[in-house]
Amino acid sequence: MLVNIVFDYYVDIVSVPDSIGINIKKYQNQCDKWLFNKLNEHEFWEKDDSGNKLGVGVCSESFTYWLNEFVLKDSKEKAYIVRKNISDYDESLPTIYY
């Protein structure tokens, strides 16, 4: 199932299993809890020169990484990015906003 991930100025289209797509906002909330938890070490932290965490670089890569590593870890189906940085998208698809 295709899903829109809408950012301020662009949209990425991600393919996810149907069971994820129909509950996409629930998975967004769970991902956000993981992504913004300062106890979690991941590659999406924005850091200063001293390595202090300043914030998170929210992106479709972080969402698909989290889905594949934590939700779909034992599944044959994986999430992946179909298109990036588009301006016109299908508003009938499930959509999450950042």
Side-chain angles (χ1 to χ4, degrees):
M1 171 181 282
L2 296 178
V3 174
N4 299 315
I5 302 180
V6 178
F7 299 95
D8 288 338
Y9 302 105
Y10 65 93
V11 177
D12 291 349
I13 308 298
V14 174
S15 178
V16 298
D18 290 350
S19 60
I20 303 292
I22 60 174
N23 293 301
I24 196 66
K25 289 182 177 38
K26 174 183 110 174
Y27 289 103
Q28 177 189 19
N29 289 336
Q30 291 176 1
C31 177
D32 288 353
K33 286 179 185 175
W34 170 81
L35 192 60
F36 289 93
N37 183 337
K38 289 190 176 189
L39 299 176
N40 293 329
E41 285 298 327
H42 53 69
E43 64 187 271
F44 307 105
W45 287 110
E46 301 288 337
K47 297 180 179 180
D48 64 16
D49 292 336
S50 300
N52 297 315
K53 295 174 184 171
L54 302 173
V56 174
V58 177
C59 55
S60 54
E61 288 86 358
S62 62
F63 187 66
T64 55
Y65 171 85
W66 176 82
L67 282 174
N68 290 331
E69 290 296 314
F70 297 99
V71 179
L72 301 170
K73 187 173 181 90
D74 297 324
S75 173
K76 291 179 184 177
E77 291 185 282
K78 299 296 182 189
Y80 60 92
I81 299 166
V82 175
R83 291 185 65 200
K84 289 185 62 72
N85 300 319
I86 63 173
S87 57
D88 191 27
Y89 62 97
D90 183 350
E91 294 181 22
S92 70
L93 293 177
T95 302
I96 56 177
Y97 299 89
Y98 281 101

